[in-house]
């Protein structure tokens, strides 16, 4: 697959981002971190492309992006309530993320010379577990169609990306010099990422509106 096709697939994140920005003033505040997550993902794609064109390398922006993404997703689960009820767990995970990233990227010198595989494994595994916990809570408390529930769709997307990241990072750690497998993994990820971005777009469409939105809209009228 050509680089242009891969780039176009990666920029499908613009679909849910534009939808999210259009609805930002209406959706509940607990979903705002997810909109920030989409904005960060788009910004990271742009920065990565610029970095590749200028320096032929995107490792530094990619490693920094992973840390920011992990923090935003962790905060998203906090705003949804699961980690807010377990503030000690939220603090412990945030501290573990930061320490792991610093040790791998700064102490081990990975920041400019490689990709944060160990941090990605930690962050992906944590996100998958948090997503499964959120889905389990929804199954027991939500009586409507789950495929019309934003939390369910977002968590499903997190699980798909998280599991794929765990598999790919495992392969890269076992055989880091196999460029053919690395290229195939990247190409497959482009399609998976595009699919998940469409799932995110559906999630944005079904995001619940603020309780006071229709009241304030009628009052202004």
């Amino acid at each position: 697959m050509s680089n242009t096709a891969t780039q176009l697939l990666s920029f499908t994140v613009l679909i849910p981002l534009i939808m999210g920005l259009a609805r930002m003033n209406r959706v509940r505040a607990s979903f705002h971190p997810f909109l920030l997550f989409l904005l960060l993902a788009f910004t990271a794609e742009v920065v990565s492309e610029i970095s590749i064109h200028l320096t032929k390398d995107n490792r530094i922006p990619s490693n920094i992006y992973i840390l920011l993404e992990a923090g935003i997703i962790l905060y998203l689960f906090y705003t949804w309530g699961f980690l807010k009820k377990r503030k000690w767990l939220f603090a412990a995970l945030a501290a573990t993320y930061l320490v792991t990233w610093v040790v791998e990227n700064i102490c081990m010198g990975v920041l400019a010379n490689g990709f944060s595989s160990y941090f990605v494994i930690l962050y992906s595994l944590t996100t998958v577990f948090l997503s499964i916990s959120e889905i389990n809570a929804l199954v027991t408390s939500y009586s409507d169609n789950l495929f019309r529930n934003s939390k369910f769709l977002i968590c499903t997307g997190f699980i798909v990306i998280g599991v794929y990241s765990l598999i790919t990072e495992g392969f890269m750690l076992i055989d880091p010099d196999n460029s053919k497998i690395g290229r195939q993994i990247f190409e497959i990820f482009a399609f998976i990422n595009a699919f998940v971005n469409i799932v995110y777009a559906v999630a944005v469409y079904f995001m619940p509106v603020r309780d006071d939105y229709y009241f304030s809209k009628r009052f202004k009228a």
Side-chain angles (χ1 to χ4, degrees):
M1 184 170 61
S2 68
N3 290 334
T4 302
T6 302
Q7 292 167 3
L8 289 174
L9 288 172
S10 66
F11 277 103
T12 53
V13 71
L14 265 175
I15 300 172
L17 175 59
I18 292 173
M19 292 174 62
L21 292 177
R23 301 194 67 212
M24 186 171 61
N25 67 325
R26 291 183 288 171
V27 300
R28 293 178 184 174
S30 60
F31 286 90
H32 285 176
F34 181 71
L35 301 182
L36 180 60
F37 161 80
L38 295 174
L39 179 61
L40 178 65
F42 172 69
T43 304
E45 292 291 348
V46 174
V47 172
S48 179
E49 289 299 321
I50 293 174
S51 180
I52 288 173
H53 283 295
L54 293 179
T55 67
K56 308 300 181 183
D57 192 292
N58 69 339
R59 283 175 287 191
I60 291 178
S62 293
N63 286 325
I64 294 174
Y65 163 69
I66 287 298
L67 175 63
L68 296 176
E69 180 185 71
I72 290 174
I73 291 178
L74 199 62
Y75 183 66
L76 176 64
F77 282 104
Y78 179 86
T79 62
W80 281 352
F82 179 80
L83 290 177
K84 187 176 290 187
K85 298 175 183 176
R86 302 165 179 83
K87 292 183 178 180
W88 64 270
L89 179 59
F90 174 74
L93 289 174
T96 302
Y97 278 1
L98 185 59
V99 170
T100 303
W101 190 91
V102 169
V103 169
E104 185 174 15
N105 285 273
I106 307 301
C107 299
M108 296 173 61
V110 171
L111 181 62
N113 302 302
F115 294 99
S116 312
S117 293
Y118 292 107
F119 178 79
V120 171
I121 289 173
L122 169 66
Y123 141 64
S124 298
L125 189 61
T126 303
T127 302
V128 168
F129 279 131
L130 289 173
S131 297
I132 291 173
S133 298
E134 189 68 41
I135 287 175
N136 286 338
L138 286 172
V139 168
T140 58
S141 62
Y142 192 74
S143 58
D144 205 346
N145 185 351
L146 283 173
F147 290 99
R148 296 169 63 90
N149 184 284
S150 290
K151 288 185 180 180
F152 175 80
L153 293 169
I154 292 170
C155 287
T156 299
F158 285 165
I159 291 172
V160 172
I161 293 294
V163 170
Y164 189 78
S165 295
L166 288 170
I167 294 172
T168 56
E169 292 300 331
F171 273 119
M172 296 304 291
L173 286 174
I174 294 171
D175 191 6
D177 298 322
N178 195 325
S179 59
K180 182 178 180 180
I181 291 180
R183 191 162 51 250
Q184 291 174 342
I185 284 173
F186 183 73
E187 289 180 356
I188 294 172
F189 177 77
F191 286 102
I192 292 177
N193 189 47
F195 167 75
V196 170
N197 285 334
I198 298 304
V199 173
Y200 290 158
V202 178
V204 170
Y205 178 80
F206 286 118
M207 278 182 180
V209 176
R210 295 193 334 256
D211 293 335
D212 65 331
Y213 174 73
Y214 291 113
F215 174 79
S216 60
K217 186 176 181 181
R218 178 175 295 182
F219 182 75
K220 289 177 182 178

